[in-house]
Amino acid sequence: MRSAGVFLAIAGVLLAAYSVFIFDTSVETGLGGRVHNLGLLRDQNNMLLFGAAALIAGVLMAVFGKKGNDDIVETDATSARIKACIEHGTPEQLLELIESGAFDPAAYSSEVHLKQAAYAKRAPMVEILLRGGASGKTRGAGGGTLLQLMTQWHEEHMKHHKEPTSPFKPIVDLLSNPPPVDIVVRSAARGDGQAATLPVPVADELAKLASLHEKKVITDEEFSTAKKRLLGS
């Protein structure tokens, strides 16, 4: 929304400038002179008003608008750092990147990182990205869904390992029954095959907090503090 506000404000300035400095409101009289035309003056006034309104609306959107995925620009250096972390790092390191604000799993660019983690069979990384807001509808090169791929990895793991479950089972469950509130929690980084879930009362409180924060009833600092208290981190 913030990016849209900036573009709207720029469009408003350009429209207002055109109406004042370029738009000609005069017409020839037929006697060699020019006079202002009332219709053209009205058009100029309307353009000026529309430009001013667009400028004000754009400024308000840019200042108070909610930060969306289109406002998050992932640089090449940041992307390389995330890819290296997903391929060679630990779940804790990926969580630190997310919590520091360097990476938003809900951003459009996260689809690339989710695919990387899935094909590298980094189950804890996939779970963290999904719980952080990455889309589970991502499709692989062959057109298969992420659920199909994780199910395949799970079945292969169970076939070759004598274990009661696999690291991919929590992801299969998560994709099959996504929770109502997707949140990055540190239990997702344990890598012990246990799904990171939140008790219903905690999820409800988090949803209420998010609503209050979105409505500007509580500040960013108050929201962050309350969220950490609920998650016990």
Side-chain angles (χ1 to χ4, degrees), residues 97-212:
L97 278 176
I98 295 171
E99 292 172 354
S100 69
F103 172 47
D104 181 5
Y108 177 77
S109 59
S110 68
E111 181 177 340
V112 175
H113 304 304
L114 183 59
K115 288 181 180 180
Q116 178 196 2
Y119 282 107
K121 298 185 178 181
R122 302 296 307 274
M125 303 301 199
V126 174
E127 186 176 358
I128 289 172
L129 293 176
L130 287 173
R131 292 189 181 278
S135 174
K137 298 179 180 179
T138 299
R139 290 187 174 271
T145 64
L146 183 62
L147 175 58
Q148 290 172 332
L149 182 61
M150 291 297 100
T151 301
Q152 177 185 340
W153 291 161
H154 167 65
E155 292 174 349
E156 290 183 1
H157 184 94
M158 297 302 295
K159 183 178 180 180
H160 297 95
H161 298 80
K162 295 181 179 180
E163 298 175 358
T165 185
S166 80
F168 305 100
K169 185 61 168 64
I171 304 173
V172 173
D173 294 339
L174 180 63
L175 291 169
S176 301
N177 301 289
V181 179
D182 290 328
I183 259 182
V184 175
V185 290
R186 287 204 168 273
S187 54
R190 294 196 306 257
D192 56 3
Q194 299 296 319
T197 58
L198 292 172
V200 173
V202 176
D204 290 342
E205 288 299 320
L206 285 169
K208 292 177 183 177
L209 274 176
S211 177
L212 291 173

Side-chain angles (χ1 to χ4, degrees), residues 52-137:
L55 173 60
I56 294 172
V59 170
L60 291 176
M61 289 172 62
V63 174
F64 300 106
K66 185 177 179 180
K67 189 174 183 180
N69 294 343
D70 58 335
D71 296 299
I72 300 171
V73 179
E74 189 175 297
T75 64
D76 291 340
T78 302
S79 180
R81 184 183 175 191
I82 296 167
K83 289 179 180 178
C85 180
I86 289 175
E87 188 170 348
H88 305 293
T90 64
E92 289 80 6
Q93 290 172 334
L94 179 59
L95 278 171
E96 287 177 4
L97 278 176
I98 295 171
E99 292 172 354
S100 69
F103 172 47
D104 181 5
Y108 177 77
S109 59
S110 68
E111 181 177 340
V112 175
H113 304 304
L114 183 59
K115 288 181 180 180
Q116 178 196 2
Y119 282 107
K121 298 185 178 181
R122 302 296 307 274
M125 303 301 199
V126 174
E127 186 176 358
I128 289 172
L129 293 176
L130 287 173
R131 292 189 181 278
S135 174
K137 298 179 180 179

